Amino acid sequence: MKMFKHSLVVCLCASALFVSCKKEEAAKESTPAVSKETLAQIKSLGFSDFNVQKIDGGYLVENDIFLGEQQLKTSPISTVLSIAKVEQYRTYNLVTGLPRTITIGVSGLNANFQSATQQMVNAYNALGLRLRFQYVGTSGADIVIYGSNLGGGVLGYSGFPSGGNPYPQVVMNTGGIFGTNVAFMRKVIQHEVGHCIGFRHTDWFNRGYSCGSGGAEPQNPEGAVQIPGTPSGADAGSWMLACTGANGSSFNGNDVTALRYLYQ
C-alpha cells in the first residue's frame, strides 16, 4: 500500500469527529497513474472514477471497494436502473442459492477482532434471513477476515459478490486505529460484509452527506439499484453510509428492510 494523507472526517456536525472506512485522498506523487481507459471501465460499471487507486491485483474505488482486473471486463446482468437518491442500494450481483449459510473465518487477528466477528455474525443472524452466517474461527471459510496496517485514515475494505458467491475477504486495519474498541471493530466488519453480499454505500452518489466532504460522485446508476421500501430522504443511521464513527447501533429500521427484501 502507498502512504496516504491522514485526516479525521467531520461528519454531519462540527463537534463530531468521524473516520472514513475508506482510503483518504492519496498523495499524488505516490499514486500510480490509472489510465483513462481503466477509469472509463470503472465508471461504466457504476462506480465513481474519482480518486481511483491502483493496488495489487486491481483497483480501490470509492475508497473501500476492491475491483479486480477481471471484474473490469464484466458486464452488468440487470437492466433495472434508478436515479440516485439517499436510499439503500445493491449491486447487480447478489449471493444466490438461498437458503444458504455463509461461513466466516478470521486469519491472523487478535481476540478482539475475533469477538467482533462473532458479534457481527450474531447481528445478521438475529434478523432471521435466509442468508445466514456461521463463524468458524479459521481461515477456511467463504469470507475470511484478514488484518493489515492500512494507515491512520483507513478502517478496512472488501468487494462485491461474483457468480452468486460473496466476495471472499475483508481486510481490516491492524495499525491501532481501533484500539480495544470491539464494538467499533464489529461495526466496520459488519459494513464490509455488507459489501461482500452486494450492498453499495447508502450515499454512494454524494459522500459529502456522511463524510462532510467529497461532494457528489457521478450519477451513473449502473450497478446501484435502489432497494424498494427504503427511504427517499436522508438516512443518517444506515450501516452502509460511506463514513462512520466509533459509536452507533447495529442496523437501523431501513437497513433491516433492505436486508429482508433481498435475503428473506
Side-chain angles (χ1 to χ4, degrees):
M1 290 294 180
K2 303 296 181 180
M3 295 299 295
F4 293 85
K5 296 177 181 178
H6 172 75
S7 65
L8 291 176
V9 180
V10 180
C11 179
L12 303 182
C13 65
S15 61
L17 292 178
F18 288 73
V19 180
S20 171
C21 68
K22 326 304 167 250
K23 293 284 188 183
E24 299 296 330
E25 182 178 359
K28 293 183 179 179
E29 64 273 15
S30 63
T31 304
V34 179
S35 70
K36 291 183 179 180
E37 179 183 10
T38 297
L39 292 175
Q41 289 176 310
I42 290 169
K43 189 173 181 180
S44 73
L45 292 176
F47 297 98
S48 171
D49 59 359
F50 174 75
N51 195 29
V52 174
Q53 301 162 35
K54 180 72 175 74
I55 61 176
D56 291 344
Y59 300 87
L60 202 62
V61 302
E62 299 180 11
N63 295 323
D64 80 329
I65 301 299
F66 178 79
L67 291 180
E69 299 279 2
Q70 195 61 35
Q71 288 175 274
L72 297 183
K73 302 175 183 178
T74 62
S75 299
I77 60 174
S78 171
T79 58
V80 181
L81 305 180
S82 172
I83 297 175
K85 302 174 183 177
V86 185
E87 297 155 331
Q88 272 81 356
Y89 288 84
R90 67 171 177 87
T91 62
Y92 289 129
N93 296 312
L94 298 174
V95 176
T96 59
L98 305 181
R100 182 172 177 179
T101 296
I102 302 298
T103 55
I104 305 287
V106 174
S107 178
L109 291 170
N110 64 31
N112 287 330
F113 281 101
Q114 294 169 26
S115 177
T117 301
Q118 182 64 71
Q119 290 179 24
M120 178 276 300
V121 166
N122 294 342
Y124 275 103
N125 287 345
L127 301 180
L129 307 176
R130 291 199 297 154
L131 181 68
R132 296 188 60 80
F133 296 90
Q134 179 182 358
Y135 177 46
V136 296
T138 67
S139 60
D142 297 312
I143 301 174
V144 181
I145 301 171
Y146 298 95
S148 180
N149 190 335
L150 302 176
V154 182
L155 299 181
Y157 66 85
S158 58
F160 292 126
S162 177
N165 296 311
Y167 189 76
Q169 70 176 32
V170 170
V171 179
M172 294 289 290
N173 192 343
T174 55
I177 197 168
F178 293 104
T180 58
N181 190 337
V182 174
F184 193 15
M185 297 174 190
R186 185 270 307 160
K187 186 177 184 181
V188 175
I189 294 171
Q190 195 164 303
H191 174 104
E192 298 304 338
V193 168
H195 287 315
C196 291
I197 63 174
F199 282 87
R200 290 289 302 263
H201 292 141
T202 306
D203 55 346
W204 67 274
F205 61 94
N206 186 359
R207 293 170 58 84
Y209 173 69
S210 67
C211 301
S213 63
E217 296 177 350
Q219 292 190 3
N220 184 337
E222 294 183 0
V225 182
Q226 181 207 344
I227 299 171
T230 61
S232 59
D235 191 15
S238 175
W239 105 108
M240 292 308 298
L241 288 173
C243 291
T244 186
N247 301 316
S249 60
S250 182
F251 298 110
N252 71 16
N254 298 318
D255 297 335
V256 173
T257 296
L259 281 159
R260 287 178 174 168
Y261 183 87
L262 296 184
Y263 288 120
Q264 191 173 60

